[in-house]
Amino acid sequence: MSEQQDNILNAADSWFNKYAAVEDAPEGIFKGVSDRFNGITVDSNLETCLPDKFTSILQKSLAYWTESRKRGIWFKVHLNSSHWVPELVNNDFKFHHAKENFVTMYRWLPSDESVNIPPYAHTMVGVGAIVVNKQNQILAVSEKNALIKNSWKLPGGYVEPSENFVEAAIREVQEETSIMTKFDTVIAIRHAHNAGFECSDLYIVMALTPENKEIKKCEREISKCEWMNIDDYLNHPKVHETNRNFLRLYLKYKENGITLTCKDEVHQILKKQYNIYSVDLAEKKC
């Protein structure tokens, strides 16, 4: 395998498709890489061509892939090759997803199969943290851009790429309040639809144990934050009922010794790390 082919394969590899081999194509055909669904992905940064040659190479490639019974054809088009996009549209490619520096387009080739292209990520993921200190006070924040002015909520925010739920919650608490924490237990998951960018929304609430006391709020996002007595939080008119329910669940978990743990595991085939969240069934000591 050449260095260029190796680069193409490594760039295309993903958890979902697990690309296995560089496609061996005749001269004048986009090579791309094959996925386990008998599809092809072409990356414009790795297979460049002159603008006046793109249309002819594309059409020859499509004819070759059709004859070879390929299924989903994917083009990852970077900004420096954006002139590819109109020609791909003219050849029946559709948009699948985009990020800051590229757009991914696809075409389904089989005429005897219904289109079996998975939709792009359609759910945004956020976290919230219940942080209770030894004085039985909860860490509460009020955001500058809150839907309800001066309302109190749990610290938290969106999960970043390649970040797990626990890491995100610990980071968000530290960024918003300067309180350092460690993981205790998952409390609840809220699932909603038609949220930002017409996506569904997952909100994972977990309990974190504080490791320091002094609060220093994030001046950019937070208007005020404080340690609030639990009873005050549960009865405060500016605390949303959903957040009160999360705190009530936390108190019930503590009362009954319920813990949802986070464990690191490694996929046996892909050799990639993932997390398992589950109820801790360890026997409790009397």
Side-chain angles (χ1 to χ4, degrees):
M1 184 181 294
S2 69
E3 182 178 352
Q4 181 187 19
Q5 289 175 323
D6 192 46
N7 289 338
I8 292 173
L9 183 60
N10 290 335
D13 190 23
S14 75
W15 175 282
F16 179 75
N17 278 333
K18 194 60 184 175
Y19 296 90
V22 173
E23 178 67 8
D24 185 17
E27 192 68 27
I29 302 294
F30 284 117
K31 291 188 178 298
V33 292
S34 295
D35 60 46
R36 61 191 176 98
F37 303 102
N38 198 28
I40 295 288
T41 296
V42 175
D43 188 316
S44 70
N45 269 359
L46 301 171
E47 294 192 72
T48 58
C49 75
L50 296 173
D52 60 347
K53 300 290 185 182
F54 178 73
T55 300
S56 62
I57 295 176
L58 173 62
Q59 291 175 349
K60 289 178 183 177
S61 299
L62 288 171
Y64 174 75
W65 292 328
T66 300
E67 184 179 352
S68 303
R69 300 289 296 171
K70 296 300 179 184
R71 301 170 81 220
I73 307 300
W74 302 81
F75 271 75
K76 183 177 181 180
V77 184
H78 297 265
L79 291 176
N80 56 3
S81 300
S82 58
H83 57 276
W84 286 19
V85 172
E87 289 303 320
L88 288 167
V89 171
N90 290 338
N91 283 273
D92 298 323
F93 279 78
K94 300 180 184 301
F95 294 106
H96 188 265
H97 64 274
K99 293 192 176 180
E100 287 186 347
N101 298 316
F102 70 85
V103 61
T104 297
M105 303 178 69
Y106 75 93
R107 177 175 165 181
W108 182 256
L109 291 185
S111 58
D112 56 349
E113 287 186 67
S114 59
V115 178
N116 194 28
I117 297 293
Y120 191 54
H122 51 74
T123 300
M124 302 181 74
V125 182
V127 291
I130 292 177
V131 183
V132 175
N133 62 21
K134 293 180 179 179
Q135 288 71 44
N136 219 29
Q137 297 170 317
I138 185 172
L139 185 61
V141 301
S142 182
E143 294 180 334
K144 289 185 176 180
N145 298 313
L147 290 173
I148 302 175
K149 190 176 181 180
N150 295 321
S151 60
W152 291 98
K153 64 181 287 292
L154 304 175
Y158 284 113
V159 178
E160 295 182 352
S162 301
E163 186 178 47
N164 69 30
F165 304 150
V166 173
E167 293 168 343
I170 291 173
R171 174 186 54 77
E172 285 287 346
V173 171
Q174 191 274 329
E175 289 178 354
E176 293 184 358
T177 70
S178 297
I179 297 297
M180 306 299 294
T181 60
K182 61 181 180 181
F183 175 70
D184 183 5
T185 179
V186 175
I187 298 297
I189 298 174
R190 184 198 68 198
H191 192 197
H193 302 291
N194 298 317
F197 306 105
E198 300 180 357
C199 290
S200 296
D201 181 83
L202 277 177
Y203 181 62
I204 296 95
V205 179
M206 60 192 67
L208 304 178
T209 301
E211 297 187 313
N212 61 308
K213 298 179 180 179
E214 186 177 352
I215 294 173
K216 183 179 179 181
K217 68 182 176 72
C218 171
E219 296 295 338
R220 179 178 180 178
E221 298 181 13
I222 305 300
S223 61
K224 53 185 176 179
C225 56
E226 65 180 57
W227 291 108
M228 186 181 294
N229 289 331
I230 282 181
D231 287 341
D232 292 341
Y233 189 90
L234 289 173
N235 293 286
H236 201 294
K238 290 287 189 175
V239 173
H240 195 282
E241 184 62 22
T242 302
N243 284 327
R244 294 177 188 165
N245 285 334
F246 289 145
L247 180 54
R248 293 185 187 110
L249 279 174
Y250 164 81
L251 295 173
K252 287 181 180 179
Y253 282 21
K254 287 297 182 183
E255 180 182 353
N256 293 284
I258 299 172
T259 302
L260 275 73
T261 62
C262 173
K263 293 183 179 180
D264 295 334
E265 301 286 351
V266 176
H267 195 284
Q268 291 180 332
I269 298 173
L270 300 175
K271 306 302 180 186
K272 294 187 178 183
Q273 182 176 306
Y274 58 88
N275 303 113
I276 297 292
Y277 297 86
S278 61
V279 176
D280 185 356
L281 298 177
E283 293 185 5
K284 303 296 180 182
K285 294 182 179 180
C286 297

